[in-house]
Structure formats: structure tokens, C-alpha cells
Amino acid sequence: MSAGVELDGVTVRFGNFTAVNNANLNIKGGEFFSFLGPSGCGKTTILRTVSGFLDPSAGHVRIGGQDMAGIGPNKRPTALIFQNLALFPLMSVADNITYGLRVRGLSRADRDKRATELLELIALPGQGQKLVSELSGGQKQRVAIARALAVEPQVLLLDEPLSALDLKLRQHMRNELRAIQQRVGITFIYITHDQGEALTMSDRIAVMSDGVIEQVADGKSVYDSPETAFVASFVGENNPFPGKVASASGDSAIIETPFGKLRGLNPKKLKAGDNAILFVRPESLKLGKGPDGSTFATPVLNAAFEGNMTHVFMKGAGKKNITVTVGRHGGTAIPASGENGTVHYDPALGLVLPEGKMARE
Amino acid sequence: MSSRALAFLVPAIVILAFWLMSRWEARQGHDPTHKSFFERNGTVLGIAFVGLVAFWTLFLVTLPYLYMVVESFHPRLPPAKRGGPEDIATIAQYTSFFVNPTDGAWNTTHMYAFVYTIVVSAAVTFINLCICYPLAYYMAQSGTTQKVRLLMLGLIVPYWVNEILRAFSIRLLLASKGLINQGLMGIGITDAPIDFLGNNTGMWVGLSYANLLIMIFPLYNAIESLDKNQIEAARDLGAPWWKIHRDVVIPYAKPGIASGCTMVFMLAAGSLAAPLFLGGPRTLWFTSIVYDFFFQAFNWPRGSAYAFILLAACIAFVMFMLRLFKVKLGEAIR
């Protein structure tokens, strides 16, 4: 069984510091939901509030419609997978997995039966008698998942569980986690600062910054239609062109930037004179001349060949360079370093957003 | 050759044997880059180092113990007769613990005192564990830095006071006209003063208090290194607080518990001040008996025999407990 999780005006303060500010969310039952943000943005605080280790300073957490105020972590229908896994080193793998059942008073025979089933689920059959220290990183990971699933939680909470693994294993575990989630059908709430993990696994993502939820949407929307400058700059690579809105008409706006007047979509309905930032992704920029209003020129600094593509770094207005990603068969020759390069883009792929905080590089 | 001379000869033979072995090994596997101890430190400093260490291990540690071992296997004789024909090796001092040499009856007084000492020490160890475990857990896992520092100070400062002074101040507190009895009578709980010293309450309090720190620090060290996430993981999986302690904290802290218990037990069984100053008039503490043999009866052979009986019994008891709780000796003395 799976339950939805509702955050209703949740605020968590530590002394004068506000870790989470007025979070309102409705996570549906059976959803794979991710909180994505840089470290210190409050995502772990939200997780600990849902699991019951922290009490919100204001607002309510509801799981399956029921208010969780005053209910301790040992009484909530949630299970948490810790960043360092926190497996019990003195217990065998099977004892680790069935610890939650042991404290509920299940008999040894029932526990053994359940351990066998779960070891099967995580593809470690017959390894129950091993010690945790005898397992590899990925195996420990799976034992932690089995231990949490053993108590049949309605919501599984995962606190950056893949961050300790190496790249290959991390990518493998992404698929595995997603597969397990679909098999057991319960709600997964996943915390990560790795956008790749969030984008590949999640049904929906909440992007957080400084304790505030900036945007909640599915991965494609977060990438294609970011709502704030922070989301646009944090999720994926992006080229910002700060400036002032010169004119707005219909869906699009023209913004006065150090590279001249440039055009982009205007989803936030900014008006002439507003401070704004135009965002164009590296893969949307193309070398060569296009129509006026979406063409500019700037010196090429250097180029990095990556096999299937080449990143061309060009001089930006501020400290940050402009990146243009050229495909293998782009056709256009890349100007030599120091030469002026001309760049254009499709105005439907430029996005004018209100000026705001940007993600740190 | 008398057995006393043999006791002094044994260390000399052992040292000579070790020195010869090291010479032999140096000759077998000669490493030209290896500098000898004297080459590294210089002759004067080298001799000073070797001399000081040898003096300490030989004269301050090994020989006194060996002398006591030898002494315990001899009869008690006036100085004039020592080394004479009556000075023979005997186990009479050890058997006198079981059978009284004067009348041939069972030596129940001393055997009772012995068992009493072991039982009380074991009980004091357990009481200390019960007091210190929550304190250590609080200090290691849940207390704020400020409060833990304050608590630590409150625990350590009383130990700057001399042991005998501390014992007497507890005596003052518990005496018939002491603060506690005055208070109890003041609020009307009792009419007459309670004889805390006569009924051995004082001794229990004194023994427990004297060894509090010895218990708390090994526990604190062990619990402090436990990952907080493990406690939270157990809690998250549904364990109530006592199951978290039973399944996660105590198994993890077991070496610390074993080490604290071993030390407290040994020190309690060997303590003198608390039973002497705070125990009841009829309380016979085995260490006091040993003390009396040395300093009242001047019977060193019997005193040392009794001391070795106590030492052997304590070691056996500790080993038994370690085996019972499946702790390795190496873990307990870490």
C-alpha cells in the first residue's frame, strides 16, 4: 500500500536560521518524487521532517491524509535510507534486513521467510548469513533498501543513498531503484543534489534553494520551462544574458543585453523596463549568422572536443563564459581562439525570466 | 641455595638470556644500514635509558612482586631465624586461609570475608554500570556540548580531592547527626537517625562513588564512536528506546562495558579506604585483613599469600565474566 505525503505550510527553523520556509506540496501515492538542490538548501531537513526526526516549527505534515504531529519516527508508516546507509555492523545481513520485523515481535521462522524473499528481491539470494562488512558498496546499498522495505512502509525516504558509490555503479543503481519502486508500488521520496539522478528516476521533481521550493514539475518541464532564474541556472547547463526588457508583445519579449537586443519567450509576462535574464542552453546556440534579434558576436576563447560533441567557450558579458555545444556533424567550422565568432539561436528556445538568484557554479 | 636467592637470580638469568639471544640474532642477520641503539642515541644517553628502564622494571616492578611470591611460601620467622633450618618452603600460608592453623577448624571468618568482598565488589560494579551507562550515553550522544562539559567538570572535580578526605566527607554526610539524617528527621520521614554507617550503606556509597569515573570513561569512549544514524535507523524501523539500547548501543559498547567493569571490579575488591572508614564495625573486608597481616600482625608471609589468593580469584572471576559475555580480553583492555 502506498500513501501520499502532503506538506502544508511546513516551516522548520533552527534558532534564527530558517532551513525550510513555507513548503507546500502534495506528493501523490506511488509517485517517485525527488527533492533536488545544492547542499544546504533544506532538502534533508524536509526528509527528516517527513520521517519524524524533526518537528516542523509551523505547518503540518500529512501522510495518507493523517496529520503526523506528535507521532514519532518509530510509529510513522515511513522508512528512511540514510546517506551512509547506517547498517548495523554487528548483525548479519539477514538480521539487518529483518530488524524492523524483530522489534515488531515476529517469530524467527517468519523473519527467516521474509529475509529469503527480500534477499531474492535485491538479487542477493543465499547471502543472509554474511556480515555487512563482507559486502561490496552496491550490495550494502541493496541491503539498506531491503531493510527499509521489510517493514512494508507506505513511503520510502531516500537521503542521497547513491552518493557514496562510484559512477558506473551509481548509474546502474538508478535503474535498479526505479525498477524496485515500480515493483513495490510505494511512494519514494528521493533527496539528491545530482540532477542526473533526479531527471532520470523521478515522476516529479521539487527544485529547492535556500529553504524555498522554487518549482515543482516533471523532469522535462523543469529542464525546458524553468520558472525562476535559479532553476534555469541549476538544472542543466545554461547561458544567462542579463539585461532589461526593451519591449514585450504576445508570448515573447526583447531584452537589451550587452550583446545587443535579443529575443526570447516571455512566460512570466514581464513588461518593458523590468530587469530580466535571457537564458539560452548551449545545445540551442548555433554558430553562424541568423535573423536579427537572435544573433550576436563575441570572441572565441577555446574549444573542448568531447568526441560526440564539442564545447566552444566564448567570451561572456560577466565572468561566466558563453558555452556553445556543437554536434559532431554541425557543418559550421569552429573559429580559431581569439577570432570573433557569430552565434544565433531559435527565439522559441530562448527564455526571458525575472532577475533572481542564480545557482553557484 | 635458598629459594629467596633463587627469586633474585631468575630475573638476572632471563635478562642475560634475552641479551644473548639479541646478540645472536644481530650476528645472524647483519644489516649494515641498521644503527644500533647506542649508535643512534650516543653511549651516555643510551646507558642512561637502558639503566633507567632496567631499574624501573627490575627493582620497582618485578623484584617486589617476586619477593612477595617467595615470601608467601615461607613460614613466619623472627629475623634471627631467617635462612636457618626452620626456613623451609611451605604452602602453610595458603592452607591457613582454609584451615585455621591454631585449632585446625575451618577458617570461616576469612573465607566469609573473601566471598563477601567478591560479591560486594561485583554488586558495586553492577551498580556503577547502571549509574554510568545513562550518564555516558547522555554525554556521548544526546547532550549539548555545553551541558556535557559542565557534567564532565562536575564528575572530575571531586576527584581532585584526596580519597581519604572524600571518604570522611561521605561519613560526615551519613553520620547519625549528619546532614542526611538531620534532613530526614526534619521532614519527618524518620524519628530516630538511621545508622547508615553501621548497616554498610556508607561503604556501598563510598565504593560506588570512588569508582564512578573509572566506569564512565570507557563507556563514554565506546558510545561516543557509535554513528548517530544507527540509533536513528533503529528508531525509524520501529524500535522503542529500550530495544535500541538492547540491540544497537549495548552490543556496540560491549568492549567499553567490559573494560569499565573489569577495572571497577578489580579496584573495588582491592580498595581499603571506603570499607575501612565507611563500613560497619562488624564488616570484614578482605583487603583490610591483608592490610592487618602486614601492618598489625607483621605476618608478611601470610599477608602476601592472602593477597595472591585475592588476585587469583579476581582474575579468574573477570576471565569467567568475559567468557560469559563473549568479550575477548584484547577488546576489554583496549
mmCIF file of all heavy atoms in Angstrom, chain A residues 121-139:
data_model
loop_
_atom_site.group_PDB
_atom_site.id
_atom_site.type_symbol
_atom_site.label_atom_id
_atom_site.label_comp_id
_atom_site.label_asym_id
_atom_site.label_seq_id
_atom_site.Cartn_x
_atom_site.Cartn_y
_atom_site.Cartn_z
ATOM 1 N N LEU A 121 14.550 -10.418 -3.811
ATOM 2 C CA LEU A 121 14.163 -9.157 -4.460
ATOM 3 C C LEU A 121 15.387 -8.305 -4.796
ATOM 4 O O LEU A 121 15.438 -7.654 -5.837
ATOM 5 C CB LEU A 121 13.211 -8.369 -3.544
ATOM 6 C CG LEU A 121 12.798 -6.981 -4.034
ATOM 7 C CD1 LEU A 121 11.666 -7.068 -5.052
ATOM 8 C CD2 LEU A 121 12.382 -6.083 -2.887
ATOM 9 N N ILE A 122 16.382 -8.287 -3.894
ATOM 10 C CA ILE A 122 17.549 -7.434 -4.134
ATOM 11 C C ILE A 122 18.686 -8.229 -4.782
ATOM 12 O O ILE A 122 19.826 -7.769 -4.823
ATOM 13 C CB ILE A 122 18.044 -6.779 -2.831
ATOM 14 C CG1 ILE A 122 18.379 -7.846 -1.775
ATOM 15 C CG2 ILE A 122 17.028 -5.795 -2.297
ATOM 16 C CD1 ILE A 122 19.123 -7.308 -0.589
ATOM 17 N N ALA A 123 18.357 -9.400 -5.304
ATOM 18 C CA ALA A 123 19.328 -10.212 -6.051
ATOM 19 C C ALA A 123 20.557 -10.563 -5.237
ATOM 20 O O ALA A 123 21.681 -10.515 -5.719
ATOM 21 C CB ALA A 123 19.732 -9.504 -7.354
ATOM 22 N N LEU A 124 20.359 -10.901 -3.960
ATOM 23 C CA LEU A 124 21.457 -11.413 -3.135
ATOM 24 C C LEU A 124 21.022 -12.712 -2.470
ATOM 25 O O LEU A 124 21.147 -12.861 -1.257
ATOM 26 C CB LEU A 124 21.828 -10.403 -2.034
ATOM 27 C CG LEU A 124 22.602 -9.159 -2.418
ATOM 28 C CD1 LEU A 124 22.740 -8.239 -1.202
ATOM 29 C CD2 LEU A 124 23.983 -9.510 -2.922
ATOM 30 N N PRO A 125 20.470 -13.664 -3.225
ATOM 31 C CA PRO A 125 19.942 -14.856 -2.561
ATOM 32 C C PRO A 125 21.047 -15.649 -1.872
ATOM 33 O O PRO A 125 22.182 -15.695 -2.362
ATOM 34 C CB PRO A 125 19.321 -15.653 -3.718
ATOM 35 C CG PRO A 125 20.014 -15.163 -4.933
ATOM 36 C CD PRO A 125 20.382 -13.740 -4.680
ATOM 37 N N GLY A 126 20.702 -16.201 -0.712
ATOM 38 C CA GLY A 126 21.642 -17.063 -0.001
ATOM 39 C C GLY A 126 22.781 -16.341 0.675
ATOM 40 O O GLY A 126 23.714 -16.965 1.162
ATOM 41 N N GLN A 127 22.741 -15.005 0.740
ATOM 42 C CA GLN A 127 23.860 -14.272 1.352
ATOM 43 C C GLN A 127 23.484 -13.729 2.724
ATOM 44 O O GLN A 127 24.190 -12.868 3.268
ATOM 45 C CB GLN A 127 24.265 -13.101 0.456
ATOM 46 C CG GLN A 127 24.382 -13.501 -0.988
ATOM 47 C CD GLN A 127 25.722 -13.140 -1.562
ATOM 48 O OE1 GLN A 127 26.722 -13.128 -0.857
ATOM 49 N NE2 GLN A 127 25.763 -12.841 -2.840
ATOM 50 N N GLY A 128 22.366 -14.237 3.268
ATOM 51 C CA GLY A 128 21.852 -13.698 4.527
ATOM 52 C C GLY A 128 22.779 -13.836 5.714
ATOM 53 O O GLY A 128 22.756 -13.031 6.624
ATOM 54 N N GLN A 129 23.624 -14.882 5.708
ATOM 55 C CA GLN A 129 24.451 -15.117 6.891
ATOM 56 C C GLN A 129 25.756 -14.331 6.866
ATOM 57 O O GLN A 129 26.508 -14.312 7.830
ATOM 58 C CB GLN A 129 24.745 -16.615 7.051
ATOM 59 C CG GLN A 129 23.518 -17.414 7.467
ATOM 60 C CD GLN A 129 22.637 -16.686 8.460
ATOM 61 O OE1 GLN A 129 23.084 -16.287 9.527
ATOM 62 N NE2 GLN A 129 21.371 -16.454 8.103
ATOM 63 N N LYS A 130 26.015 -13.648 5.749
ATOM 64 C CA LYS A 130 27.253 -12.860 5.680
ATOM 65 C C LYS A 130 27.194 -11.678 6.633
ATOM 66 O O LYS A 130 26.118 -11.232 7.015
ATOM 67 C CB LYS A 130 27.430 -12.326 4.253
ATOM 68 C CG LYS A 130 28.043 -13.324 3.309
ATOM 69 C CD LYS A 130 28.478 -12.611 2.051
ATOM 70 C CE LYS A 130 29.163 -13.575 1.095
ATOM 71 N NZ LYS A 130 29.419 -12.956 -0.202
ATOM 72 N N LEU A 131 28.363 -11.156 6.974
ATOM 73 C CA LEU A 131 28.408 -9.910 7.724
ATOM 74 C C LEU A 131 28.352 -8.744 6.739
ATOM 75 O O LEU A 131 28.760 -8.883 5.584
ATOM 76 C CB LEU A 131 29.703 -9.821 8.531
ATOM 77 C CG LEU A 131 29.733 -10.620 9.833
ATOM 78 C CD1 LEU A 131 31.104 -10.545 10.459
ATOM 79 C CD2 LEU A 131 28.685 -10.097 10.804
ATOM 80 N N VAL A 132 27.854 -7.614 7.230
ATOM 81 C CA VAL A 132 27.728 -6.447 6.361
ATOM 82 C C VAL A 132 29.090 -6.048 5.785
ATOM 83 O O VAL A 132 29.202 -5.647 4.627
ATOM 84 C CB VAL A 132 27.116 -5.279 7.163
ATOM 85 C CG1 VAL A 132 27.144 -3.999 6.343
ATOM 86 C CG2 VAL A 132 25.698 -5.609 7.559
ATOM 87 N N SER A 133 30.129 -6.215 6.602
ATOM 88 C CA SER A 133 31.458 -5.786 6.158
ATOM 89 C C SER A 133 31.995 -6.640 5.018
ATOM 90 O O SER A 133 32.962 -6.270 4.364
ATOM 91 C CB SER A 133 32.423 -5.840 7.338
ATOM 92 O OG SER A 133 32.411 -7.125 7.908
ATOM 93 N N GLU A 134 31.364 -7.785 4.777
ATOM 94 C CA GLU A 134 31.833 -8.649 3.692
ATOM 95 C C GLU A 134 31.205 -8.283 2.344
ATOM 96 O O GLU A 134 31.501 -8.916 1.343
ATOM 97 C CB GLU A 134 31.502 -10.113 4.016
ATOM 98 C CG GLU A 134 32.270 -10.655 5.201
ATOM 99 C CD GLU A 134 31.798 -12.035 5.613
ATOM 100 O OE1 GLU A 134 30.668 -12.155 6.103
ATOM 101 O OE2 GLU A 134 32.561 -12.983 5.437
ATOM 102 N N LEU A 135 30.295 -7.299 2.340
ATOM 103 C CA LEU A 135 29.594 -6.953 1.107
ATOM 104 C C LEU A 135 30.282 -5.790 0.400
ATOM 105 O O LEU A 135 30.982 -4.999 1.018
ATOM 106 C CB LEU A 135 28.148 -6.550 1.424
ATOM 107 C CG LEU A 135 27.269 -7.591 2.101
ATOM 108 C CD1 LEU A 135 25.877 -7.027 2.303
ATOM 109 C CD2 LEU A 135 27.194 -8.863 1.285
ATOM 110 N N SER A 136 30.031 -5.681 -0.906
ATOM 111 C CA SER A 136 30.546 -4.545 -1.668
ATOM 112 C C SER A 136 29.602 -3.354 -1.483
ATOM 113 O O SER A 136 28.511 -3.499 -0.944
ATOM 114 C CB SER A 136 30.633 -4.906 -3.133
ATOM 115 O OG SER A 136 29.326 -5.009 -3.655
ATOM 116 N N GLY A 137 30.051 -2.198 -1.962
ATOM 117 C CA GLY A 137 29.243 -0.980 -1.807
ATOM 118 C C GLY A 137 27.837 -1.107 -2.366
ATOM 119 O O GLY A 137 26.856 -0.747 -1.724
ATOM 120 N N GLY A 138 27.733 -1.660 -3.576
ATOM 121 C CA GLY A 138 26.426 -1.784 -4.200
ATOM 122 C C GLY A 138 25.542 -2.781 -3.472
ATOM 123 O O GLY A 138 24.329 -2.594 -3.366
ATOM 124 N N GLN A 139 26.188 -3.841 -2.944
ATOM 125 C CA GLN A 139 25.404 -4.849 -2.194
ATOM 126 C C GLN A 139 24.875 -4.260 -0.891
ATOM 127 O O GLN A 139 23.731 -4.495 -0.512
ATOM 128 C CB GLN A 139 26.277 -6.071 -1.918
ATOM 129 C CG GLN A 139 26.570 -6.871 -3.174
ATOM 130 C CD GLN A 139 27.559 -7.984 -2.936
ATOM 131 O OE1 GLN A 139 28.422 -7.874 -2.065
ATOM 132 N NE2 GLN A 139 27.452 -9.047 -3.697
#
